[in-house]
Amino acid sequence: MADTINAGIAVLRTLESWHVDHIYGIPGGTFNNMMYALDAEKERIRYIHVRHEEVGALAAVADGKLTGHIGVAFGSAGPGATHLFQGAYDAKMDKVPTLFLVGQVEQRFMNFDFFQELNEDPLFQDAAVYARTVTTAAGLPHIVDEAIRRAFAAHGPAVVVIPNDLPGEEIPANGYYSAAANFARPKLAAGSDEQVDAALALIQAAKKPVMYVGQGTIGAASTVEAVSEKLQLPVITTALGKEIIPYEFPALLGSAARVASKPANEALREADLIMFVGSNYPFAEVMFNPAAKFIQIDSDPKMLGKRHHADVAILADAKQTLQKLLDRSTATAPTGWYAANKDNVANWHQYNDHMMNRTEGQLRFEPAFKQINRIAKDDAIFSIDVGDVTQNSVRLLKVNGKQPWITSGLFATMGVGLPGAIAAQLSYPGRQVFNLAGDGAAAMVMQDLNTEVRYHLPIINVVFSNNALGYIEDEQEDAGRVWLGVDIPGLNLGEIADGQGMTGITVTKVEDLVPAFDRALAVTANGEPVLIDVKITNERPIPVEHLQLDPARFDAATIAAFKKRYYGENLIPLSAFEAKHPNA
């Protein structure tokens, strides 16, 4: 048995002990000794050669979001390091453990203002939960192991800066170890009897209660549904929590604010009690009624009371606490409020189905979503980019509770769809993966379509091309300003995909959608990626944050104009359903 081991190989063995089986990056002169180690370990850990470090960084974050294991990306000194920033901040904002390995010049050149030398520790201090520069070869695997433990403990990105000479050195073979086998997450119990009973008393006293759930309820869908039905609490989810509750659950109102659904916004306007479970919803301050009673259940003490004054705050496991609510409660008699909200959901679904089934006029985005729903498998994974495509996906994807759904949540970085899809296909090679993006976001990362081709990743890329940054265009409209900087010169993304060795399909008419998506199924069945460039109109999606439907708030002319612009002739306000149910 050898007395020594290469320090770079020791780092990779440490990563392997933490279930890392692939790593993203682009080599550079300051990372070459780690590259030689990657070559030596290629049977155990796969190097994914991306075309831009930002894509690798975002893919590493997506690995964490999808698998719960640590995602890893690297960049060389200087520009390679700065290109990792997007991923680092996405991981910080969405609280995803991620590891970034950053090259540095050899120690003998450090602090000499050498070529590409950058003082990288301070750069990452704001983004990272842990950032260190390694000073000895023997300490290199230990610092990487420490970084991973810190990333998991603090729920965020860790950065290890590696002077290039260190991974090339030999260190004692028995001089390092991994703590992966000792890793454990803290487990909280349910809230106390007194806390649960206090929450139930508030719920029973409320006239218009809602339950607002986030990612802390992943894996607890059936419990959330049972609480909803037993206690007559309509359910709102965060956008990031869309995957949790099946689309067809009749009391699922969707998400609130702008990337949102009509029923959720209407219910929140009137809610007199909000049970906030496992969420860090950033728009709570503007969307939640300050006077509403507030119950909060969260496993992170920093979250309690963060978004709203809490009348009952419970530091506990969400699923167990919800189950305790079920066990200690008596069923609430059917309420008009619950019935009105279910009717409102049904009306909203009818509107969306009508828009997805439209065949007249120019091609809009909704009929393309109909095809995505048609071909999506029961365990499909959706990687959603940022922009109009985010809110359209929130509204139109009919997820079943078994289909993971990821995007850039709090940081909302454009270009996240493609790297997320790469991560999904690498982590779950047997599953169907979609990348849904607008043309603005797709243009930011289109070079890494080549990565999908290179590694034969059968991803279905769907790009909604409207030649505009539609989401920002709508904000400028609402501000009453002229449009500026929101136009995108038309790109033929189908031809760009072809030029990178991928099957590219361009769709301009509704009748071409079915054959296009059928062809996408055939191409991906053969183990290759495909891109469908759907050329859509630049009509604005219905702004559910600015609904003009309620005759108690708007005159007839305003309502008629709103319905005409957004094809909403059959949309009914929540107030009408409340009037239908006398005890609403």
Side-chain angles (χ1 to χ4, degrees), residues 69 72 151 157 214 224 323 398 420 508 510:
H69 298 313
V72 186
V224 171
Q323 183 60 51
K398 297 186 177 184
T508 59
V510 174

Side-chain angles (χ1 to χ4, degrees), residues 473-482:
E473 187 176 86
D474 298 343
E475 287 181 345
Q476 292 184 359
E477 176 188 338
D478 290 343
R481 308 302 291 269
V482 296

Side-chain angles (χ1 to χ4, degrees), residues 326-348:
L326 283 174
D327 295 342
R328 295 184 67 83
S329 62
T330 56
T332 301
T335 67
W337 169 249
Y338 197 71
N341 276 281
K342 288 201 299 182
D343 286 353
N344 201 23
V345 170
N347 178 247
W348 174 242

Side-chain angles (χ1 to χ4, degrees), residues 5 8-22 41 44-46 68-72 99 140-149 152 176-184:
I5 186 173
I9 291 176
V11 166
L12 298 179
R13 297 277 175 88
T14 300
L15 294 181
E16 291 158 19
S17 73
W18 286 95
H19 307 288
V20 175
D21 60 9
H22 60 269
E41 286 292 289
R44 298 181 180 89
I45 190 165
R46 190 179 186 188
H69 298 313
I70 195 86
V72 186
L99 176 65
L140 178 54
H142 171 78
I143 297 302
V144 169
D145 189 66
E146 177 80 10
I148 295 172
R149 287 187 286 111
F152 277 118
Y176 78 99
Y177 62 90
S178 164
N182 308 120
F183 170 69

Side-chain angles (χ1 to χ4, degrees), residues 415-468:
V416 76
L418 184 147
I422 289 173
Q425 198 70 81
L426 288 168
S427 294
Y428 300 100
R431 292 171 68 171
Q432 184 186 54
V433 175
F434 289 88
N435 160 34
L436 307 185
D439 47 354
M444 290 183 168
V445 292
M446 60 186 174
Q447 75 284 337
D448 272 278
L449 293 171
N450 181 254
T451 302
E452 296 183 14
V453 173
R454 177 174 186 163
Y455 295 103
H456 305 284
L457 303 177
I459 295 165
I460 300 174
N461 301 276
V462 183
V463 181
F464 298 87
S465 294
N466 62 344
N467 298 340

Side-chain angles (χ1 to χ4, degrees), residues 130-177:
Y130 179 84
R132 295 289 190 277
T133 295
V134 183
T135 58
T136 67
L140 178 54
H142 171 78
I143 297 302
V144 169
D145 189 66
E146 177 80 10
I148 295 172
R149 287 187 286 111
R150 296 287 191 98
F152 277 118
H155 305 283
V159 176
V160 177
V161 179
I162 306 173
N164 188 43
D165 50 319
L166 299 184
E169 296 182 15
E170 294 292 306
I171 64 174
N174 63 355
Y176 78 99
Y177 62 90

